[in-house]
């Protein structure tokens, strides 16, 4: 396993199969929607941002996704001090690629989700990502109502990321092409009511989850993400499994000072009946051991018989250790980390 891709290539061949499966430090695969061989309404595309203030103990996540039969825009506010969250989301029927999500994760483009209920704008320029948003219905833990703001994320050319392209054993035309960018320094602010929440680029960081693909009908995945300053050095984690055939490569990585350090298999040990009990993370190569004590569980569920989704996105305080490719051991103590357990039938 752990096949690293180091040169540009097409993502799909003429039969709709991945040309090369594996992982990369940069998005070398070229995604073209027209190359996909899939049944009606099976393509899934999403752009998801998550930004924390470790000192301020608050955060935001922002989503624009196109599932062919359903479009989703979502904005979620987190207060880690008070174990509170509030999400506002909105759906659009049959977007089928019309939301403007780009084929490349670095395309300099403006993406908008606009309505009276929810306004989201993503823009990418050289070295920077900008997220603007407003929502009159969102409420913080103190009862302040109505959010508006702009966040800037720094993305220098030298920053490596976790990129993976894998398929499913039961259907090799079903594929998962995904890029996770951790440790982008965050600035900007937002207000809820009259209260202002400010991000500090000397301490706060954001991450970006970009995905394109065709999935099989039933899936379960596990994911964890961390972006923090360790002393004065940016430190990130991307851990995940359970989704597609990971024989060619895992998506488990450490990001330290802008460079990816590759891990093998990571296992999440937790109680699926109570996601607020401690989680433990171990790696097959003995290079990671972490314990997360949950603060809040952002959960959602729907069951429409044919379409089902059960999601737990858990935030908590993580401590433990990890080992870089160089053999250097890094200790973590009480940093905010996110982990997910998601089951989908769609």
């Amino acid at each position: 396993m752990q096949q690293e891709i180091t040169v540009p290539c097409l993502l799909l061949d003429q039969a709709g199969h991945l040309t090369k499966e594996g992982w990369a430090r940069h998005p070398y695969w070229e995604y073209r929607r027209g190359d996909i061989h899939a049944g009606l309404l099976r393509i899934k595309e999403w752009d998801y941002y998550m930004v924390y203030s470790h000192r301020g103990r608050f955060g935001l996540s922002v989503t624009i996704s196109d599932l062919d039969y359903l479009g989703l825009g979502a904005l979620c506010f987190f207060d880690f001090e008070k174990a509170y969250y509030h999400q506002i989301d909105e759906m659009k029927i049959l977007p089928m690629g019309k939301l403007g999500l780009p084929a490349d994760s670095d395309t300099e483009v403006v993406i908008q989700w606009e309505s009276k209920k929810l306004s989201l704008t993503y823009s990418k320029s050289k070295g920077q990502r900008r997220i603007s948003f407003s929502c009159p219905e969102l409420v913080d833990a103190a009862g302040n109502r109505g959010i508006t703001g702009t966040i800037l994320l720094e993305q220098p050319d030298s920053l490596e990321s976790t990129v993976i392209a894998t398929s499913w054993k039961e259907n090799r035309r079903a594929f998962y092409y995904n890029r996770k960018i951790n440790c982008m320094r965050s600035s900007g602010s937002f207000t809820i009511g009259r209260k202002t929440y400010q991000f500090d680029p000397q301490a706060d960081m954001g991450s970006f989850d970009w995905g394109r693909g065709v999935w099989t009908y039933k899936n379960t995945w596990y994911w964890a993400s961390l972006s923090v300053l360790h002393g004065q050095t940016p430190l990130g984690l991307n851990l995940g499994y359970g989704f597609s055939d990971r024989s060619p490569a895992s998506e488990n990585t450490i990001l330290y000072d802008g460079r990816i350090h590759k891990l093998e298999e990571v296992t999440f040990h937790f109680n699926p009946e109570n996601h607020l009990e401690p989680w433990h993370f171990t790696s097959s190569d003995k290079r990671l051991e972490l314990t997360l004590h949950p603060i809040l569980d952002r959960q959602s569920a729907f069951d429409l018989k044919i379409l089902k989704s059960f999601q737990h996105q858990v935030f908590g305080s993580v401590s433990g250790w990890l080992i870089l490719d160089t053999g250097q051991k890094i200790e973590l103590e009480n940093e905010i980390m996110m982990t997910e357990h998601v089951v989908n039938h769609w």
Side-chain angles (χ1 to χ4, degrees):
M1 63 176 302
Q2 310 302 343
Q3 177 175 313
E4 182 176 0
I5 306 303
T6 58
V7 295
C9 60
L10 284 176
L11 180 68
L12 301 175
D13 63 20
Q14 291 183 350
H17 299 122
L18 291 173
T19 60
K20 295 181 180 179
E21 299 200 33
W23 74 280
R25 302 169 190 273
H26 302 282
Y28 288 121
W29 290 271
E30 181 184 347
Y31 169 79
R32 300 190 305 202
R33 189 179 173 99
D35 291 345
I36 295 174
H37 290 239
L40 185 65
L41 308 179
R42 298 306 301 160
I43 300 174
K44 294 177 172 55
E45 302 178 333
W46 67 94
D47 286 22
Y48 172 78
Y49 289 94
M50 187 163 48
V51 190
Y52 307 151
S53 173
H54 289 270
R55 294 175 183 171
R57 307 284 290 178
F58 63 84
L60 280 178
S61 67
V62 191
T63 308
I64 299 178
S65 64
D66 185 332
L67 308 180
D68 257 6
Y69 54 83
L70 190 69
L72 175 68
L75 178 65
C76 190
F77 167 76
F78 302 96
D79 185 329
F80 302 119
E81 197 65 40
K82 297 182 180 178
Y84 170 89
Y85 71 93
H86 187 207
Q87 176 165 314
I88 299 294
D89 48 45
E90 187 175 45
M91 297 182 182
K92 296 182 179 180
I93 304 300
L94 298 175
M96 300 182 67
K98 297 176 183 177
L99 295 183
L101 297 177
D104 184 273
S105 54
D106 279 328
T107 298
E108 295 187 7
V109 67
V110 176
I111 307 165
Q112 290 184 302
W113 180 287
E114 197 67 46
S115 71
K116 292 181 179 179
K117 179 180 179 180
L118 185 64
S119 175
L120 308 173
T121 302
Y122 297 164
S123 60
K124 171 72 173 66
S125 57
K126 184 173 177 55
Q128 185 182 86
R129 296 178 182 272
R130 176 187 293 264
I131 311 161
S132 297
F133 45 88
S134 64
C135 175
E137 298 179 16
L138 192 140
V139 181
D140 70 8
N144 298 301
R145 179 177 295 273
I147 187 172
T148 184
T150 297
I151 301 170
L152 301 177
L153 301 177
E154 297 178 17
Q155 186 193 337
D157 291 341
S158 60
L159 180 63
E160 294 184 352
S161 53
T162 305
V163 190
I164 189 170
T166 51
S167 63
W168 273 261
K169 289 181 179 179
E170 59 268 40
N171 179 4
R172 291 300 182 187
R173 286 179 174 172
F175 67 92
Y176 171 62
Y177 180 32
N178 182 241
R179 183 186 190 189
K180 306 280 194 357
I181 307 175
N182 289 81
C183 297
M184 293 184 286
R185 291 186 181 270
S186 306
S187 60
S189 65
F190 59 90
T191 59
I192 303 180
R194 295 184 178 180
K195 182 170 182 177
T196 298
Y197 296 81
Q198 183 78 43
F199 289 103
D200 178 1
Q202 301 305 312
D204 300 332
M205 294 187 177
S207 60
F208 179 44
D209 173 10
W210 181 95
R212 305 291 183 265
V214 173
W215 304 351
T216 52
Y217 172 59
K218 294 183 180 180
N219 282 288
T220 298
W221 75 70
Y222 309 90
W223 177 39
S225 181
L226 170 77
S227 293
V228 68
L229 276 179
H230 185 264
Q232 295 301 311
T233 303
L235 172 66
L237 281 174
N238 185 78
L239 311 175
Y241 66 102
F243 196 62
S244 73
D245 175 11
R246 298 300 172 88
S247 298
S250 78
E251 64 172 294
N252 300 313
T253 59
I254 303 165
L255 179 68
Y256 187 73
D257 199 17
R259 182 182 179 276
I260 290 292
H261 298 250
K262 193 71 180 66
L263 300 172
E264 293 183 3
E265 296 296 332
V266 173
T267 303
F268 296 18
H269 311 270
F270 67 101
N271 181 0
E273 302 302 321
N274 184 356
H275 290 78
L276 289 174
E277 290 184 7
W279 295 52
H280 303 284
F281 305 83
T282 58
S283 66
S284 61
D285 50 12
K286 310 299 183 185
R287 289 179 51 191
L288 177 145
E289 191 166 318
L290 301 171
T291 298
L292 180 134
H293 294 279
I295 297 169
L296 65 86
D297 176 11
R298 186 192 69 82
Q299 54 184 298
S300 62
F302 67 83
D303 185 350
L304 303 178
K305 304 307 178 185
I306 296 177
L307 301 179
K308 301 179 184 180
S309 182
F310 305 96
Q311 304 185 16
H312 292 268
Q313 187 179 60
V314 177
F315 296 83
S317 177
V318 68
S319 299
W321 54 266
L322 47 89
I323 297 174
L324 305 180
D325 290 345
T326 59
Q328 180 183 353
K329 189 174 185 178
I330 304 291
E331 302 278 352
L332 286 173
E333 185 174 358
N334 296 326
E335 302 290 357
I336 296 174
M337 188 171 87
M338 181 280 296
T339 188
E340 280 188 354
H341 173 214
V342 175
V343 178
N344 284 329
H345 294 181
W346 60 12

